Amino acid sequence: MSALMGKPQCLRIDPRWGLLLLWALMSLPVCAEDLTDLSLEELLDVEVTSVGKKSQALADAAAAVFVIDAEDIRRSGATAIPELLRMVPGLQVGRLDANKWAISARGFNGRFANKLLVLIDGRTLYTPSFSGVYWEQQDLLLADIERIEVIRGPGATLWGANAVNGVVNIITRSAESTQGGLLSVAAGGEERGAAAVRYGAEIAPETFARFYAQYRERDALVTINGEAGRDGWDSGQGGFRIDARLAGGDLFTLQGDLYRNNLRQQLRIPSPEVLPERYMLVDDRLQASGANLLARWERALSVSSQVSLQLYYDHVERDEYYVAQRHDILDIDFQHRVMLGARHDLVWGVGYRHVADDFSTTRLVSLVPDADARALWNGFLQDEITLLPGRLNLTLGSKFEHNDYTGVELQPNARLLWRASPRSSLWASVSHAVRTPSRAERSAKVWARVVDSGLPPPAPASLVAATVGNDDVVSESLTAYELGWRLMPMSRLSLDLALFYNDYDELRTSGDAPVVVGADRDALYLDLPFANQGRGHSYGAELAGELQLRDWWRLAFAYGFLEIDLEVPESSRDRSNDSLARADPRQQLSLRSLMSPRQDLDLDLWLRYVDGNYPAFDIGQFSSLRIPAYWELDVRLAWRPRPGLEFALVGQNLLSPSHQEGYPEAFAALPLEVQRGVYASVRVDF
């Protein structure tokens, strides 16, 4: 352990370590009589729905899928959804401050990562302003999550534009399965306090409901200079879900959430008047609030045909120093699944989305027009064809979308799955996906950089650069090639390996033709328009597995390797995609040890390694900053003196007092470091 505590920034893992780890685990001596008798069916026949928009066994999914189930969630010690996603190989997860996260799949990570589609019960969390996710506004009650299905690689054929590098589908438990009450409280150093309450009941025959509310407060992090980060926050959220079985066997779900977040952040605002730094620091109090409502109806037309209709409305407001924004989204989806003969399992659907937004205009950010409305129409068709019953399946499909920015987008894919034996399956796929331009890329102007002009007096001393939208920006595109292998070499070990090669084109950059738009005695003002001048490729490998050492002891491990090589013209002033991709760690390792030596006692350890990265994009005085590699350890000890009562003590990030996980983005002031923390919790089910 002393080696781990020394200088983690100097430590590197060779990719071959993944194979060495696998060999070591397979060589461990285990007494057969102490093992759970595991079968491939028990491990790989877990039902997933995100790959084909239908329920299917994980072993039959021709995609790189990782499932975080309710037991993983309970024993993780995590307090938020982003922390859970650290389990997934191929996902890059970084905490930027106490209330903000950067999460992406297979690269291009950052605060405004835009190639990962995230859904809750089929409701997209897509933010139209930048095509990404404000993770701090997604504060579900973790006890209500049934599972999280994560697809690494394109999911655009079924889910549409922006499902480029992956899809995260968070599936909550039905109201029927959450009857009775739940009360939980927690307190600690970093997690200052949290409380949640939930109650479920049968409100009518075959109609179940649950209601919940929760609140939590978190302490601020520290800057890389050891100062207070001024980024503490508190949040409150509540909601309900109703599930009913109607006459004729129809299923109906109605659910909604209401939330409000109060977030602090320290901003570094460009200002040519503030000399010599040309930046001023602002302590900002950000407020975010929202509400959503979802209704879903499902009917079985026959034993081989089912239809569903889903509608949801999402309202979001967000007000911070440099911009205020409001979004209203209405989404309608219809889907039909039908078996055609013995060989064709067909899923098709159509959808419509309407987005209305309204932005404030400040001296830092403006959008023209400041209010806008857009529509997106889509349809998809996917057919799973049985070539050899029980052995070989071919899946063909495509998504067809029309948006107001780039017109019609076609996103096809082909997938082949071979069940080589009852204990192994192999799959391969070729997919095409796009990320459509966001509102900001088309119509925003963001003043974000002040540098010395280098010009002699009486010329202005500063150059103030603004990134501006461009009506000529087109969709970024990806063609992905994947291979996968799931196997169970022995009754106590399951493995899942995925290899991929991604070919990118039309990646977003800042243009190479700056435009002078104004001048005064202090500064010369330039516009840098967005363009599509980036291209390149990435490749990598992802390995996940589980090993049952004893009836009471399970190991879960994950390893990911990523290499990205992009070409961005030197004339591009920002070089955003090249730098952003190089901010990703090349290697990541996760090893979880889940032990229950007694029926009433859990001891869980979670060891993580995140490799260092290349220098990131230009952020003024921190342009050469580098995120060092780090090891971290979380420990959870839980005691259940009687059914329905649990006491837990959790230590997070125990190997070092603090470590950095990401870069400040937008107008954030200083890089912040995640701190060591301990919290205690009590949960009562009644």
Side-chain angles (χ1 to χ4, degrees):
M1 185 63 71
S2 60
L4 304 184
M5 297 285 286
K7 294 183 177 181
Q9 68 272 19
C10 299
L11 187 59
R12 294 290 181 270
I13 294 183
D14 189 277
R16 292 171 292 181
W17 278 37
L19 296 177
L20 180 60
L21 174 64
L22 172 61
W23 174 83
L25 291 173
M26 293 179 63
S27 302
L28 286 173
V30 182
C31 298
E33 62 272 18
D34 292 333
L35 289 173
T36 301
D37 186 15
L38 302 176
S39 68
L40 183 68
E41 289 74 19
E42 290 172 320
L43 288 172
L44 298 185
D45 282 359
V46 174
E47 294 290 313
V48 296
T49 59
S50 302
V51 178
K53 278 198 172 182
K54 62 184 180 182
S55 182
Q56 63 184 138
L58 177 61
D60 294 332
V65 187
F66 189 94
V67 179
I68 303 172
D69 62 23
E71 183 71 359
D72 290 325
I73 295 171
R74 184 182 71 84
R75 302 189 65 163
S76 67
T79 60
I81 292 172
E83 295 176 8
L84 296 170
L85 298 179
R86 297 183 190 275
M87 300 180 190
V88 185
L91 245 60
Q92 289 76 44
V93 179
R95 190 165 205 153
L96 304 181
D97 65 19
N99 53 69
K100 298 183 187 67
W101 295 82
I103 301 177
S104 186
R106 295 179 175 176
F108 298 90
N109 198 20
R111 166 64 171 155
F112 301 111
N114 54 24
K115 296 176 178 60
L116 178 68
L117 186 66
V118 184
L119 309 104
I120 297 178
D121 292 325
R123 174 178 62 87
T124 178
L125 306 185
Y126 162 85
T127 300
S129 57
F130 69 94
S131 302
V133 175
Y134 285 122
W135 287 96
E136 63 272 21
Q137 295 173 194
Q138 318 305 326
D139 197 22
L140 285 179
L141 181 61
L142 298 187
D144 284 350
I145 299 177
E146 179 178 300
R147 66 185 185 276
I148 302 175
E149 299 177 2
V150 181
I151 303 173
R152 293 103 62 203
T157 294
L158 296 179
W159 300 108
N162 306 314
V164 177
N165 280 5
V167 177
V168 175
N169 192 9
I170 302 164
I171 301 169
T172 63
R173 302 171 67 187
S174 70
E176 184 178 2
S177 64
T178 52
Q179 298 295 282
L182 177 147
L183 174 66
S184 67
V185 294
E190 297 304 308
E191 300 290 340
R192 284 185 169 180
V197 60
R198 182 194 71 207
Y199 185 75
E202 186 174 7
I203 59 176
E206 297 296 310
T207 301
F208 303 87
R210 71 159 178 259
F211 303 87
Y212 80 95
Q214 67 174 349
Y215 172 84
R216 66 176 175 144
E217 180 182 359
R218 201 183 194 286
D219 195 14
L221 301 185
V222 297
T223 70
I224 57 174
N225 298 331
E227 302 169 351
R230 304 179 184 179
D231 57 329
W233 68 293
D234 65 271
S235 67
Q237 180 163 318
F240 73 95
R241 174 165 174 163
I242 299 173
D243 291 295
R245 293 186 181 91
L246 307 178
D250 292 8
L251 301 178
F252 178 75
T253 297
L254 181 67
Q255 61 188 97
D257 303 281
L258 182 69
Y259 63 87
R260 186 175 183 85
N261 300 332
N262 298 296
L263 316 172
R264 292 190 62 188
Q265 57 184 353
Q266 189 175 51
L267 304 179
R268 188 167 175 261
I269 303 301
S271 176
E273 295 84 9
V274 181
L275 299 175
E277 294 84 3
R278 295 187 174 84
Y279 288 88
M280 63 180 182
L281 296 180
V282 174
D283 286 333
D284 185 30
R285 293 186 178 272
L286 183 160
Q287 289 191 339
S289 60
N292 60 75
L293 186 66
L294 179 145
R296 183 170 55 251
W297 166 78
E298 301 172 75
R299 165 174 285 186
L301 301 178
S302 68
V303 293
S304 61
S305 179
Q306 303 88 36
V307 296
S308 65
L309 178 66
Q310 178 174 288
L311 299 89
Y312 79 78
Y313 169 74
D314 196 8
H315 172 80
V316 177
E317 295 186 15
R318 186 180 179 90
D319 188 0
E320 47 198 317
Y321 179 87
Y322 52 86
V323 72
Q325 54 184 300
R326 187 190 71 208
H327 291 93
D328 291 278
I329 301 175
L330 174 65
D331 193 280
I332 304 173
D333 277 301
F334 172 81
Q335 178 180 310
H336 181 206
R337 179 188 179 188
V338 59
M339 299 291 297
L340 300 177
R343 293 184 177 271
H344 295 270
D345 189 348
L346 187 69
V347 181
W348 68 275
V350 293
Y352 169 78
R353 178 176 301 163
H354 182 270
V355 178
D357 61 39
D358 192 1
F359 291 84
S360 66
T361 297
T362 69
R363 71 180 187 88
L364 294 172
V365 176
S366 62
L367 287 90
V368 179
D370 55 6
D372 192 21
R374 301 172 300 285
L376 183 146
W377 299 85
N378 68 80
F380 75 89
L381 176 68
Q382 180 161 290
D383 187 11
E384 183 177 337
I385 307 165
T386 300
L387 301 179
L388 294 175
R391 298 296 299 273
L392 188 63
N393 289 353
L394 173 66
T395 302
L396 301 174
S398 183
K399 187 87 168 186
F400 309 89
E401 282 191 343
H402 180 275
N403 66 81
D404 291 346
Y405 288 157
T406 62
V408 177
E409 301 283 4
L410 181 66
Q411 301 176 84
N413 91 115
R415 299 179 180 273
L416 186 68
L417 179 102
W418 176 40
R419 294 292 296 261
S421 74
R423 288 181 171 267
S424 69
S425 60
L426 294 93
W427 59 270
S429 71
V430 180
S431 308
H432 178 73
V434 302
R435 186 193 68 82
T436 55
S438 67
R439 174 87 147 92
E441 290 165 315
R442 299 282 291 197
S443 56
K445 186 169 189 173
V446 182
W447 296 101
R449 187 180 305 171
V450 180
V451 298
D452 291 331
S453 68
L455 301 175
S462 302
L463 295 177
V464 182
T467 301
V468 297
N470 182 356
D471 288 341
D472 294 327
V473 170
V474 299
S475 297
E476 299 181 319
S477 68
L478 163 68
T479 302
Y481 308 88
E482 298 177 274
L483 292 172
W485 185 22
R486 297 186 182 95
L487 72 157
M488 194 170 183
M490 57 186 68
S491 62
R492 54 189 168 93
L493 178 66
S494 66
L495 299 170
D496 191 335
L497 175 67
L499 308 174
F500 66 91
Y501 179 91
N502 289 344
D503 188 11
Y504 297 96
D505 201 4
E506 305 286 358
L507 291 174
R508 186 197 70 198
T509 61
S510 286
D512 60 353
V515 179
V516 178
V517 294
D520 55 34
R521 67 176 186 176
D522 295 319
L524 185 68
Y525 298 89
L526 305 176
D527 280 356
L528 302 175
F530 283 121
N532 296 92
Q533 297 177 315
R535 62 190 305 271
H537 66 269
S538 68
Y539 58 90
E542 298 151 358
L543 175 67
E546 292 193 0
L547 175 66
Q548 192 78 33
L549 288 171
R550 294 288 189 272
D551 286 341
W552 50 271
W553 187 7
R554 175 169 61 96
L555 293 180
F557 56 92
Y559 170 79
F561 173 77
L562 172 68
E563 188 72 41
I564 301 180
D565 184 12
L566 302 180
E567 300 175 8
V568 181
E570 291 290 341
S571 57
S572 177
R573 297 301 194 270
D574 182 45
R575 306 195 70 187
S576 59
N577 270 283
D578 177 61
S579 301
L580 195 57
R582 292 167 66 88
D584 294 308
R586 294 183 66 198
Q587 299 175 92
Q588 297 183 100
L589 177 68
S590 167
L591 178 62
R592 292 182 295 137
S593 171
L594 309 175
M595 295 179 284
S596 299
R598 295 188 341 203
Q599 191 173 12
D600 62 344
L601 190 66
D602 295 336
L603 176 59
D604 305 318
L605 293 84
W606 187 359
L607 181 67
R608 301 186 304 275
Y609 171 78
V610 178
D611 202 357
N613 71 304
Y614 296 95
F617 49 89
D618 182 8
I619 47 176
Q621 60 180 309
F622 305 107
S623 58
S624 62
L625 200 65
R626 198 164 185 267
I627 301 175
Y630 63 88
W631 286 92
E632 275 304 354
L633 175 68
D634 295 351
V635 177
R636 174 182 176 271
L637 178 64
W639 176 49
R640 294 177 297 280
R642 63 175 179 81
L645 177 63
E646 180 181 85
F647 299 93
L649 182 65
V650 178
Q652 295 180 312
N653 305 307
L654 298 180
L655 293 187
S656 59
S658 62
H659 68 272
Q660 184 185 344
E661 294 187 0
Y663 293 107
E665 301 202 28
F667 299 101
L670 288 170
L672 297 175
E673 295 189 334
V674 177
Q675 296 175 266
R676 175 187 297 157
V678 177
Y679 74 87
S681 67
V682 179
R683 170 174 167 165
V684 182
D685 292 277
F686 57 91

